[in-house]
Amino acid sequence: DNITVWGQSAGASAVLNHLAMPATKGLFHRAIAQSPVADAVRTPEQAAETARRCIAALHADPATAADVLRNAPAAAITSAAIQV
């Protein structure tokens, strides 16, 4: 009945995203965002484009993306994300 979500750096940016998302309303009662990344905010269109580029860098398409992301090594995902 008293949940606090907390994050530092990139995790703080995730906390701020949760504060802005209607889908997470009511899941927590307090939020602490410690040193969020200042430029990590994206519009839905920008986030979708980043996701499309990351998926393409992993040699996947929308139909196979979920399976590719589930099975890809973390290093491959990180490498793909850096490319975008």
Side-chain angles (χ1 to χ4, degrees):
D1 293 329
N2 187 9
I3 297 172
T4 300
V5 63
W6 173 87
Q8 179 180 3
S9 191
S13 297
V15 168
L16 296 178
N17 285 330
H18 279 297
L19 288 172
M21 291 176 51
T24 63
K25 184 177 182 175
L27 296 179
F28 54 91
H29 303 89
R30 292 173 179 79
I32 301 169
Q34 185 174 338
S35 301
V37 180
D39 66 346
V41 178
R42 303 286 186 262
T43 66
E45 296 79 15
Q46 289 169 324
E49 180 59 26
T50 299
R52 279 191 288 276
R53 290 181 183 181
C54 188
I55 290 166
L58 288 167
H59 308 291
D61 58 45
T64 61
D67 284 335
V68 169
L69 288 168
R70 261 192 297 275
N71 297 310
I77 296 171
T78 302
S79 177
I82 290 170
Q83 293 178 34
V84 298

